[in-house]
Amino acid sequence: MNILLLEDNKKLNQTITKRLKLKGYKIDAYLDGNEAYNNITEGYSCFILDINVPNVDGIKILKRIREFYEEVPVIIISASTELEVIKQSYDFGCNDYLKKPFFIDELEIKVEKLCKIKNDFIFFDDNSYFDYKSSIVVLEGVEQRLTKKERLLMNLFLTKRNQVLSYDTIQNYVWEGSFASLESIRSLIRRLRKVLSNKYIETVVDTGYIFKTT
């Protein structure tokens, strides 16, 4: 399972990374908020965020995460004891708030409780699933590896299954804030439809697309 860690204290960052790696987690650790912000769409199963970090604070990153991932666990680690900061963190969707200083064992327990998933497979049909870790779609026993943009789009569809996704939502998530023409979006949809044997993805005229599952 992949975890994004944002902590600007280098020593604490290294300590958390080392301990969680010993538990079998894959950790992408960042000291800078802007770097973490630019990588939140890389398919993480859990986020651990400090608040007061350089360039982009943890609260802004939390809000951005919740625009795309409603259910991915987010743990805030912060020295702030201000009630308003704690309230804001929960209001914007954090799952737990750990005040510094803390024992690393405490964080391990919270990660085990909130972030541990049985496997990296997201099933969207009885015999079909998306391997979240390796970016492989298995459709009725046939494997296909996805490109980065196909993987991001699949992540988005499965997070928002049976919900209409606008062209803007797809552009912001898959192209990570950069401009994408309507034809570029349609071309990506065509490629993913081909992988999925033209099942699941339906067009919503003049609006966007919906990934339909039963």
Side-chain angles (χ1 to χ4, degrees), residues 5-36:
L5 167 66
L6 172 62
E7 168 55 61
D8 68 333
N9 182 305
K10 191 173 182 180
K11 186 176 180 181
L12 180 56
N13 189 306
Q14 291 173 342
T15 300
I16 293 171
T17 299
K18 183 177 179 180
R19 287 288 294 270
L20 292 180
K21 280 186 174 180
L22 287 173
K23 290 287 185 179
Y25 298 106
K26 180 183 176 185
I27 311 296
D28 288 339
Y30 297 94
L31 300 167
D32 179 86
N34 192 53
E35 290 182 8

Side-chain angles (χ1 to χ4, degrees), residues 1 3 45-46 73 75 110-117:
M1 183 179 68
I3 296 175
S45 302
C46 188
I75 300 170
K110 291 183 184 298
V111 169
E112 284 288 323
K113 178 183 176 182
L114 293 170
C115 304
K116 191 74 174 178
I117 54 177

Side-chain angles (χ1 to χ4, degrees), residues 20-21 50 78-79 83-85 103 112 114 130 136 148 156 165 180 197 200 211:
L20 292 180
K21 280 186 174 180
D50 189 7
S78 177
L83 182 60
E84 185 58 33
V85 173
F103 293 106
E112 284 288 323
L114 293 170
F130 176 47
I136 290 174
K148 180 183 176 181
L156 182 59
L165 297 178
S197 299
Y200 307 107
F211 192 96

Side-chain angles (χ1 to χ4, degrees), residues 160-174:
K160 304 281 189 181
R161 66 183 79 187
N162 297 315
Q163 298 178 45
V164 176
L165 297 178
S166 69
Y167 299 121
D168 285 343
T169 297
I170 293 171
Q171 172 187 275
N172 289 334
Y173 183 77
V174 177

Side-chain angles (χ1 to χ4, degrees), residues 193-204:
R193 276 178 167 158
K194 186 176 180 181
V195 171
L196 298 171
S197 299
N198 292 311
K199 299 178 182 178
Y200 307 107
I201 301 173
E202 296 184 9
T203 300
V204 180

